[in-house]
Each structure stands twice: as C-alpha cells, then as structure tokens.
Amino acid sequence: MTEKPDNIGEDEGFSAHRFSVAPMMDWTDRHCRIIHRLMSRHARLYSEMVTAQAVIHGNRDRLIGFDALEHPLALQLGGNDPMLLAQAARIGADFGYDEINLNCGCPSDRVQGGAFGACLMREPALVGDCVAAMKAAVSIPVTVKCRIGVDDQDPEAALDALTASVRAAGVDALIVHARKAWLQGLSPKENREIPPLDYERAYRLKAANRELPVSLNGGIKAPAEWAAHLAHLDGVMVGREAYQNPEILLQVDSLLFGQPAPVADAFAMLEALEPHIARHIERGGRLHAFTRHLVGLFPGRKGARQFRRHLAEHCVKADATLADLRAAAAHVSRHEAQAA
C-alpha cells in the first residue's frame, strides 16, 4: 500500500473532480504523473486503463504501482465482469488509490474483443451491476467514464439510460467524453477527433441530475475554456492538451483553486523532478522513461526545438543521465518567448 502524504485531502469547497488529467494509454504512466503532479497539487490524476484480470493475475507493482506524491490518484479499470471488477477494485483500494474508475468509453479493437470499454454503453444494466459490485467491495469512490453513445445510438436515450443505471448502483461521479464512439470504421485516434463534440449534451445531463457530480472530457484546451464549462458542470478533464502542452497545468491551482502553483515555471519543475529521476536510474531505470513525457515543454520559447532534438538524440540512450537532461534544458531561453 502506498501511503498518502498528510497534506493531501479533498479540496475544501470544491468538487474532487474540478480539474483532472484524463487516463491515456501509453501516456499517463507513473513517470508522466509525477511530472504533472509537480505542476499542480490539486489536479486529480488517473492511471492508464488496466484490465481487471491483469490487476488480479499480473505483476501488480509494475501495473498499478505508484509514488505517494501522485495523490489524489484514480485507478481506471477495464472489464465487464462485476465480480472480477470488484476484486480488482479491492486490490486498487488496498494499494492506496483514491478512486476506482470504470472505463466505458475506450473504442479500441482490444476492448471490443473483450466486450468492455465503449461497448458497455449498450449495456447500461450490466454497468450498473459492475458499479454496485465495486461499491460493495471498497470504501473509496467508484466513478464511471463514458461516451454520450456509440454507433447509431441516440445520445439522449443512451446517456440517460447509463446514468440512471449507475446512479441506482450508487456511483460517485460520472465523467462524460462528449463524443459518440464509432466502434466500426474509425480508429481510436479518429474516435478522439472525428465524431463531433456535444458539450450541450453533458450540460443537459447535469441539469437533470443535480446531485450527481458530472465532469466533462473531450477537446478541452485553453484554460479560458475551463471556467466556461465549470459554469455548467462540476469538473473538467483535460487529456491530450495536458500531455502535449503540460505547462498549462501550472495554471490549474491558481485559476481553479485559488492557490499558487507548486513551482514557478517549467525550469523549476525540471529541478524538482531530478530526485525522482535519480532514484529511477539508481534502480536500473532509464532517463527516457521520464524525458519521453517532456517533449511538449517550452512551447514558443527560443531554443525549444534544440531542447526536443537533444531529448531525441541523447536522452534516449541507455546510459543517459541527468546531465543529458540538464544539457537539453540549457538550450532554452528563460526570458525569450518566440518561435523556436
């Protein structure tokens, strides 16, 4: 079990999901989450999706282990068997996660083959059974991340049916990716871009379910958009923008929680990151495990292109050290913000 630091708790007066970073396969691993946490104390972070069976039968430290710094942190599970999900949720709670989230939105071939993820939008009663089983197994919040529908479903009826089922099961919050998922004909990447966004559908859902915390995901970018959505909903979940332009996270605590960011800028974040990288390398890990998540730093700054090139040419090497990361950052101007 990973102990939670004493200074981490619910944000007084705010929804626990006021701002969160979306779970993203191959991106939001434990190294990425440390980078994000160093830029915001309050953003809720999510693991990559892990199947219930993998949690039960796999290498748990490798699959779901995390650093105590990462709190508040949710474990996202994939699956469709209530008993297996309950068992995996119990394992996640024992590991110290703050929330268990059920994936009902991923459209990949893998989840379609296993009849979970976005496929579950077609089976609201089963989703309710899954939530009820997990709620009975753990004392931490159980949440669901879903789409507004799949394929030819009517988003009004589909989302209402899913919501009614999980509410009856006691779900603690719903995170709505405000796009349909097309299970045939579109790749997972296309499913994040092509189906049109329908934020109004999420707004209507919240209006009809005042007591249910509802967060919005999908296409949210500039910080100026956060407050506009929060006028209608309890939270915003930012995905690709937080990964590809992570410095926006430096604005989360001040804009949404009335507190200063943990560090002054991306340079200070890199300094705070060094002890974590050093421990990782001492344990036999590679620098690239962290630096692959840093490519989006320093947008628009003089030297940013050289920074990215240095990461790609030097920090990927098996024997790369912190000196290589420092050399990469040395290319970037601390004062000039211009096209790199």
Side-chain angles (χ1 to χ4, degrees), residues 73-108:
L73 177 64
L75 171 63
Q76 187 181 70
L77 295 176
N80 62 6
D81 184 306
M83 293 303 101
L84 292 179
L85 284 165
Q87 187 177 349
R90 191 178 303 113
I91 292 167
D94 289 344
F95 255 69
Y97 280 88
D98 301 294
E99 170 191 329
I100 304 297
N101 178 263
L102 178 62
N103 185 316
C104 295
C106 179
S108 73

Side-chain angles (χ1 to χ4, degrees), residues 275-322:
H276 300 279
I277 296 177
R279 283 195 295 272
H280 176 69
I281 292 175
E282 287 170 4
R283 295 167 183 161
R286 293 177 58 172
L287 177 68
H288 181 59
F290 281 90
T291 58
R292 75 185 189 93
H293 301 300
L294 298 174
V295 175
L297 286 183
F298 307 119
R301 282 192 176 272
K302 183 178 180 181
R305 182 178 297 144
Q306 291 88 339
F307 170 76
R308 294 191 295 270
R309 182 181 299 120
H310 201 102
L311 293 183
E313 293 179 356
H314 299 280
C315 295
V316 298
K317 296 177 179 178
D319 60 349
T321 68
L322 278 170

Side-chain angles (χ1 to χ4, degrees), residues 9-126:
E10 294 300 329
D11 297 305
E12 185 175 356
F14 297 112
S15 164
H17 297 86
R18 186 170 177 83
F19 185 94
S20 54
V21 178
M24 293 174 282
M25 293 299 296
D26 299 320
W27 287 4
T28 51
D29 63 18
R30 66 182 71 190
H31 310 300
C32 174
R33 297 191 304 261
I34 287 176
I35 293 166
H36 289 174
R37 176 60 65 221
L38 290 174
M39 291 189 281
S40 169
R41 294 185 180 92
H42 298 284
R44 180 158 288 234
L45 305 180
Y46 282 74
S47 75
E48 303 168 273
M49 182 186 69
V50 187
T51 66
Q53 289 191 342
V55 171
I56 295 166
H57 301 294
N59 183 329
R60 294 172 189 170
D61 286 332
R62 180 179 62 82
L63 290 169
I64 64 171
F66 63 92
D67 189 296
L69 175 76
E70 297 173 44
H71 290 290
L73 177 64
L75 171 63
Q76 187 181 70
L77 295 176
N80 62 6
D81 184 306
M83 293 303 101
L84 292 179
L85 284 165
Q87 187 177 349
R90 191 178 303 113
I91 292 167
D94 289 344
F95 255 69
Y97 280 88
D98 301 294
E99 170 191 329
I100 304 297
N101 178 263
L102 178 62
N103 185 316
C104 295
C106 179
S108 73
D109 292 341
R110 176 191 177 200
V111 303
Q112 290 185 55
F116 60 100
C119 300
L120 290 173
M121 292 297 301
R122 295 177 174 147
E123 300 189 65
L126 175 58

Side-chain angles (χ1 to χ4, degrees), residues 135-152:
K135 287 286 294 181
V138 301
S139 59
I140 60 176
V142 174
T143 65
V144 169
K145 187 172 186 291
C146 66
R147 294 284 185 134
I148 60 174
V150 296
D151 297 337
D152 58 356

Side-chain angles (χ1 to χ4, degrees), residues 15 17-20 174-179 197-207 210 212-239 241 248 255-256:
S15 164
H17 297 86
R18 186 170 177 83
F19 185 94
S20 54
L174 192 63
I175 303 159
V176 180
H177 184 162
R179 284 186 173 97
L197 287 159
D198 189 354
Y199 295 143
E200 294 292 334
R201 178 63 189 99
Y203 297 169
R204 291 194 297 275
L205 181 75
K206 176 59 185 178
R210 290 291 183 185
L212 176 67
V214 177
S215 295
L216 179 70
N217 174 232
I220 302 170
K221 295 185 178 181
E225 300 174 33
W226 304 346
H229 292 309
L230 288 170
H232 303 275
L233 299 154
D234 301 285
V236 291
M237 174 180 273
V238 179
E241 188 68 13
I248 65 167
L255 290 180
L256 301 184

